[in-house]
Amino acid sequence: MSKVIISVNNLVKSYGSFEAVKNISFDVMEGEIFGLLGPNGAGKSTTLEIIETLREKTSGTIIVDGLDLDKNPNDIKKIIGVQLQTSGYYPNLKLTELIQLFSGLYNRTVDAMELLDSVNLRDKANSKVKELSGGQRQRFSIATTLINNPKIIFLDEPTTGLDPQARRNLWDLIKGLRQRGATVIITTHYMDEAEILCDRVAIMDSGKIISMASPDKLIDDLVATGFERPKQLKNASLEDVFIHLTGKEWRDD
Ligand code: ADP
């Protein structure tokens, strides 16, 4: 039996008179990849940033690995890794220098080369962030979430804007985080990605969770209602054609 690592109960967030998160409750299990899906404005970032201790909630309770967000926010910060947008990084520092800077902030000692190795960026150790491709930047930003060896990793649209090869490469990296025993919470607008990566997803709309289960279960439930695709799918997709023609190897190195 896996254990609950994040428990959100009756979470509400209001911005003035507007309720962005409307009394939602959900659990995330230890070691799973949990997807938070939904259209823009659904309340995903607000929810995640509250759990990440970066935003104040209006009401509700949140327990992260046994720690109450209201009482122990600093202890929660120590066990989570939050992916920041790479545009916020100092563009003129080398990757190794940035890792030293971040590990100083976390009060940790890390082997920068080993960390870069884990995201396949050893060769770029002396490059600056501005010299990296989109896929490399995303991998680097994931590396920075690992500095404090977190139990829980939050990834916000980690593959947006990447080409199909780089996207697959990131999927392997994210699956690797789960293999190492971490719990991963991810937002994405790519449903194929959620289907492949996520053990469970919660679908949010207008501040509410409107469905939550494994992708398989959600699809089976929809099919059980008699739903059919308007056109029968072929055995391959255009993306399969693209990968078949251009190969699987990464192009961003
Ligand atoms: P998502 O991440 O699903 O796109 P958000 O959590 O960013 O959604 O936003 C949910 C809703 O709350 C949106 O309508 C957004 O405009 C609103 N919102 C987000 N942040 C603020 C804020 N700081 N002040 C006022 N409204 C906000």
Side-chain angles (χ1 to χ4, degrees), residues 234-253:
K234 299 182 182 176
N235 286 335
S237 65
L238 185 58
E239 177 145 323
D240 293 325
V241 173
F242 182 93
I243 294 285
H244 185 72
L245 291 173
T246 61
K248 281 210 168 74
E249 64 280 4
W250 316 327
R251 298 305 178 78
D252 59 344
D253 293 289

Side-chain angles (χ1 to χ4, degrees), residues 222-223 225-232:
L222 177 63
V223 171
T225 65
F227 178 92
E228 262 183 62
R229 282 193 169 148
K231 184 173 144 207
Q232 196 53 41

Side-chain angles (χ1 to χ4, degrees), residues 21-36:
V21 177
K22 301 185 174 107
N23 199 8
I24 63 168
S25 300
F26 63 96
D27 289 339
V28 177
M29 311 307 286
E30 185 166 44
E32 76 175 340
I33 301 181
F34 184 86
L36 200 52

Side-chain angles (χ1 to χ4, degrees), residues 169-239:
N169 166 225
L170 253 291
W171 292 349
D172 289 341
L173 178 59
I174 294 165
K175 285 184 199 159
L177 301 177
R178 174 174 57 190
Q179 235 153 28
R180 283 161 49 165
T183 304
V184 179
I185 299 171
I186 182 173
T187 64
T188 178
H189 286 303
Y190 301 115
M191 293 305 118
D192 59 337
E193 176 165 303
E195 199 177 330
I196 285 171
L197 284 181
C198 297
D199 298 294
R200 286 188 313 135
V201 298
I203 300 178
M204 279 189 89
D205 197 10
S206 305
K208 293 188 186 139
I209 292 179
I210 53 173
S211 198
M212 182 162 54
S214 68
D216 228 25
K217 168 94 170 59
L218 292 177
I219 294 166
D220 288 349
D221 286 353
L222 177 63
V223 171
T225 65
F227 178 92
E228 262 183 62
R229 282 193 169 148
K231 184 173 144 207
Q232 196 53 41
L233 261 205
K234 299 182 182 176
N235 286 335
S237 65
L238 185 58
E239 177 145 323

Side-chain angles (χ1 to χ4, degrees), residues 7 21 32 37 50 53-54 67 70 84 112 134 142 149 153 158 161 172 176 178 191 194 202 214 242 247 249-251:
S7 184
V21 177
E32 76 175 340
L37 313 178
I50 291 170
T53 78
L54 300 176
L67 302 162
D70 291 328
L84 303 169
I142 290 178
N149 198 20
I153 299 161
D172 289 341
R178 174 174 57 190
M191 293 305 118
S214 68
F242 182 93
E249 64 280 4
W250 316 327
R251 298 305 178 78

Side-chain angles (χ1 to χ4, degrees), residues 20-191:
V21 177
K22 301 185 174 107
N23 199 8
I24 63 168
S25 300
F26 63 96
D27 289 339
V28 177
M29 311 307 286
E30 185 166 44
E32 76 175 340
I33 301 181
F34 184 86
L36 200 52
L37 313 178
N40 285 332
K44 305 179 298 292
S45 307
T46 300
T47 302
L48 289 189
E49 286 178 18
I50 291 170
I51 303 171
E52 292 161 359
T53 78
L54 300 176
R55 227 182 257 224
E56 296 273 326
K57 60 184 163 59
T58 303
S59 62
T61 55
I62 294 175
I63 309 289
V64 180
D65 198 28
L67 302 162
D68 187 332
L69 184 96
D70 291 328
K71 297 181 191 135
N72 310 95
N74 289 329
D75 292 332
I76 291 177
K77 279 187 191 133
K78 286 182 196 151
I79 58 160
I80 64 172
V82 178
Q83 186 187 16
L84 303 169
Q85 294 305 316
T86 42
S87 52
Y89 293 160
Y90 299 90
N92 285 312
L93 290 185
K94 293 176 187 171
L95 301 194
T96 45
E97 291 169 338
L98 276 168
I99 290 172
Q100 298 312 337
L101 180 73
F102 287 130
S103 41
L105 295 176
Y106 280 119
N107 214 0
R108 295 259 177 166
T109 329
V110 290
D111 183 334
M113 291 313 280
E114 197 184 315
L115 185 64
L116 289 172
D117 224 13
S118 73
V119 294
N120 207 33
L121 281 177
R122 178 177 276 267
D123 296 349
K124 298 286 172 186
N126 290 318
S127 301
K128 297 166 181 173
V129 170
K130 66 179 181 187
E131 295 161 355
L132 301 181
S133 70
Q136 290 166 344
R137 274 182 206 211
Q138 289 290 20
R139 294 212 298 279
F140 181 65
S141 80
I142 290 178
T144 63
T145 70
L146 304 178
I147 286 172
N148 59 337
N149 198 20
K151 280 189 173 180
I152 307 166
I153 299 161
F154 293 88
L155 303 177
D156 191 8
E157 296 186 29
T159 67
T160 296
L162 300 185
D163 70 33
Q165 281 88 1
R167 227 152 66 88
R168 279 169 168 66
N169 166 225
L170 253 291
W171 292 349
D172 289 341
L173 178 59
I174 294 165
K175 285 184 199 159
L177 301 177
R178 174 174 57 190
Q179 235 153 28
R180 283 161 49 165
T183 304
V184 179
I185 299 171
I186 182 173
T187 64
T188 178
H189 286 303
Y190 301 115
M191 293 305 118

